[in-house]
Amino acid sequence: MMPETKSECKDILLPVFRDSLKKRYCPICTILSNYEVSILESILYERVNDPGVRREFIGSMGLCKHHAWLIVELSEKSTLVDNLGPSLLYRDVLALYIRQDLHSKRETCPICREVASYEKMIVNWVSQCIDTSDWFRSLYSHGKAVFCDKHYHMIVSQMRNPHAIEEFKSIQREKLITILNRIDSYISKKDYRSKQEIGEEEVYAWIDALQALKGDRSFRGCSG
Ligand SMILES: [Zn+2]
Ligand SMILES: [Zn+2]
């Protein structure tokens, strides 16, 4: 029988984590990428006139480059974001830039700051669950997702239980070896003498390798 998970792993974050395990990419990158989209949508949909939001947005000269371009992406595809919110905010940023004699001296991007603190909290929660619960490790082992290098090491650095660290490492290795085998299988099936059918998982395994090494592209981290 599968051992029960510790109570701290059954909180509000569990469904979010379970969902992220169904994707091919790093569960933490996925959660953070959804989180930054949700903060930006909420700002642009309902908090454009909030004085605190305006102050931070304008103080950072319209966010960092990554988050500024994410607003453009959202304005093109999100049903919650149109051009009015960004127009109101960037109008004031541009006016300030002109007043500052065309200097873009700025404070830290508030979205980067919020995402970094959420990342710390999520990594902390995941590490604790992986460290204390066989059930949670098995959940990760059976999921499609693979932690990226950065998040794998962040998790391990917070774990205390040597047995759990060993087991987590071997689950991670297994997942990476599966990717490696798929790439090899693709390469050998591409041989002109091979008549074997190539599966989609094999064609794109190199992208899985890339994400495991570099992190999910939808969560680019912060460029300051
Ligand atoms: Zn990641
Ligand atoms: Zn940012």
Side-chain angles (χ1 to χ4, degrees):
M1 208 176 91
M2 203 75 88
E4 264 298 284
T5 177
K6 293 270 190 293
S7 57
E8 68 263 28
C9 299
K10 280 188 169 169
D11 65 22
I12 192 168
L13 291 172
L14 184 58
V16 177
F17 185 75
R18 273 192 137 136
D19 256 9
S20 72
L21 287 177
K22 294 178 195 152
K23 306 261 163 59
R24 276 162 64 203
Y25 299 148
C26 170
I28 293 182
C29 285
T30 300
I31 291 171
L32 295 175
S33 159
N34 293 339
Y35 181 68
E36 60 186 5
V37 166
S38 75
I39 309 176
L40 284 175
E41 280 184 334
S42 136
I43 288 178
L44 296 164
Y45 183 63
E46 58 194 357
R47 293 196 287 150
V48 167
N49 290 317
D50 177 310
V53 166
R54 281 189 92 82
R55 197 173 44 246
E56 290 200 315
F57 194 97
I58 296 161
S60 68
M61 278 289 167
L63 311 180
C64 66
K65 186 174 170 181
H66 164 60
H67 287 123
W69 280 102
L70 192 51
I71 293 182
V72 178
E73 278 175 40
L74 291 178
S75 74
E76 289 163 352
K77 65 181 187 199
S78 165
T79 49
L80 294 178
V81 179
D82 68 5
N83 291 297
L84 181 59
S87 297
L88 290 166
L89 291 165
Y90 280 102
R91 182 247 161 244
D92 284 0
V93 174
L94 186 62
L96 176 66
Y97 179 68
I98 294 167
R99 277 204 308 281
Q100 285 184 172
D101 201 22
L102 315 193
H103 286 103
S104 69
K105 188 176 165 301
R106 59 188 176 89
E107 293 154 22
T108 314
C109 167
I111 312 295
C112 281
R113 207 179 47 229
E114 270 197 59
V115 170
S117 100
Y118 195 67
E119 180 179 37
K120 236 168 148 178
M121 193 271 288
I122 289 281
V123 168
N124 199 18
W125 180 81
V126 171
S127 313
Q128 222 173 35
C129 294
I130 291 186
D131 208 25
T132 55
S133 164
D134 293 343
W135 175 85
F136 198 90
R137 285 194 297 280
S138 156
L139 193 69
Y140 172 58
S141 161
H142 291 98
K144 203 171 179 184
V146 184
F147 288 116
C148 69
D149 173 67
K150 174 191 176 188
H151 289 127
Y152 168 75
H153 285 287
M154 278 177 87
I155 292 167
V156 171
S157 73
Q158 293 198 29
M159 290 173 69
R160 298 282 165 267
N161 173 358
H163 162 73
I165 293 173
E166 265 320 298
E167 206 183 299
F168 177 45
K169 191 175 175 182
S170 94
I171 294 170
Q172 184 74 2
R173 275 180 76 94
E174 278 306 310
K175 284 178 180 266
L176 298 174
I177 289 169
T178 302
I179 296 173
L180 190 63
N181 290 340
R182 281 180 187 150
I183 300 178
D184 285 344
S185 164
Y186 173 73
I187 294 169
S188 76
K189 286 179 182 176
K190 281 296 276 184
D191 187 293
Y192 71 97
R193 285 160 301 193
S194 169
K195 296 277 178 284
Q196 279 178 291
E197 203 178 308
I198 300 174
E200 199 171 300
E201 280 182 330
E202 293 164 328
V203 177
Y204 298 113
W206 69 274
I207 301 179
D208 296 338
L210 188 150
Q211 91 79 30
L213 296 166
K214 307 291 175 195
D216 187 345
R217 80 165 147 193
S218 57
F219 176 61
R220 278 170 276 185
C222 294
S223 51

